[in-house]
Amino acid sequence: MARLDQKVAIVTGGARGIGRATAELFAEEGARVVVGDLREPEPFDHPNITFTPLDVTQLDSWQGLVDSVIAAHGRIDILVNNAGLVGSYEAIAKIDLNDWHNIIAVNQTGVFYGMRSVLPTMQAQHAGSIVNVSSIWGIVGAAGVSAYQASKAAVRMMSKNAALSYVDDGIRVNSLHPGLASTPMIDAQDEAITADVIAATPMKRAANPREIAYGALFLASDEASYVTGIELPVDGGYTAP
């Protein structure tokens, strides 16, 4: 049997990169997947993937997405809060305030809104799995990238808080912490930054997005039925030292 047979999943930031790889893998494993993104994706090959526009920074956009998923499928089994951006590589004293607020809005508030929007449905079902995508830089420190680090660390702790708050409702919440992955976002960053991260990664390479997606698949699936409140690094050993 497929690992997500007949489950209904929402994947944010699913137009490309890790989100797209996750949506495709989930569909291959039997899920009906709704991709939410500001960017309209290139067509998906799998018929069980649909697209709905979503601005994760707007609560009414989230509610519209949830309402449409319930109308179409009657339930929500999985939420993957994947949408995010680096946005700025500046440290605290230099980051533009607009950049700070935008990064926090997408990476942190977007995850909060996502959980807030699906939790009532999952509570009514007494079942659900939420996977919040953080980062290796939500676990360990790095110079610069102040808003990104702050937001991704917040995702880690919000996940633990939600896991403990809703465990009696049959809802599991975990955070996923990718290392460097070959995505359009990483391709656009300074090559020196990429080279430094690869040099600090014991496996000495970037991940394929599908390698990260397999981590999300495990956490979303019933195979992880006794797993909640953890952070799962998929990082080539970056956080091991």
Side-chain angles (χ1 to χ4, degrees):
M1 179 181 291
R3 297 167 72 182
L4 300 179
D5 188 45
Q6 298 302 307
K7 291 187 183 293
V8 177
I10 296 171
V11 179
T12 72
R16 59 183 192 170
I18 292 170
R20 186 181 183 99
T22 300
E24 291 171 339
L25 181 58
F26 280 19
E28 291 168 20
E29 290 291 340
R32 290 165 287 177
V33 183
V34 179
V35 166
D37 206 312
L38 279 176
R39 180 194 311 269
E40 184 164 357
E42 295 294 322
F44 292 98
D45 292 333
H46 203 288
N48 281 357
I49 305 175
T50 57
F51 169 71
T52 299
L54 172 68
D55 181 347
V56 299
T57 70
Q58 301 299 316
L59 190 56
D60 59 350
S61 185
W62 268 108
Q63 195 56 57
L65 172 63
V66 168
D67 289 347
S68 69
V69 173
I70 294 298
H73 302 294
R75 59 186 299 110
I76 300 170
D77 300 295
I78 300 162
L79 169 64
V80 180
N81 270 315
N82 168 76
L85 75 164
V86 177
S88 170
Y89 293 87
E90 296 292 349
I92 289 171
K94 290 188 176 181
I95 188 171
D96 181 89
L97 290 180
N98 289 328
D99 287 342
W100 172 272
H101 290 301
N102 184 51
I103 295 161
I104 297 297
V106 174
N107 294 359
Q108 181 175 340
T109 306
V111 170
F112 165 69
Y113 283 166
M115 290 195 290
R116 186 181 179 92
S117 298
V118 305
L119 278 166
T121 298
M122 290 183 174
Q123 286 178 294
Q125 297 167 176
H126 203 73
S129 176
I130 297 174
V131 181
N132 293 324
V133 180
S134 179
S135 166
I136 51 175
W137 286 347
I139 298 175
V140 299
V145 291
S146 54
Y148 183 77
Q149 279 225 279
S151 62
K152 290 301 188 178
V155 167
R156 173 176 176 265
M157 196 52 64
M158 283 196 299
S159 301
K160 292 181 181 294
N161 174 270
L164 296 177
S165 297
Y166 298 100
V167 66
D168 290 340
D169 293 304
I171 300 167
R172 298 184 299 102
V173 187
N174 297 286
S175 58
L176 182 67
H177 296 259
L180 189 75
S182 297
T183 66
M185 184 174 74
I186 296 302
D187 291 344
Q189 78 177 5
D190 188 320
E191 291 181 1
I193 295 173
T194 299
D196 286 346
V197 176
I198 289 175
T201 300
M203 286 190 176
K204 302 303 181 190
R205 66 175 178 86
N208 182 293
R210 194 172 178 93
E211 293 178 292
I212 309 299
Y214 273 111
L217 174 62
F218 168 69
L219 293 175
S221 76
D222 292 339
E223 296 165 10
S225 58
Y226 198 55
V227 178
T228 196
I230 72 158
E231 60 268 8
L232 176 62
V234 185
D235 64 359
Y238 186 97
T239 58

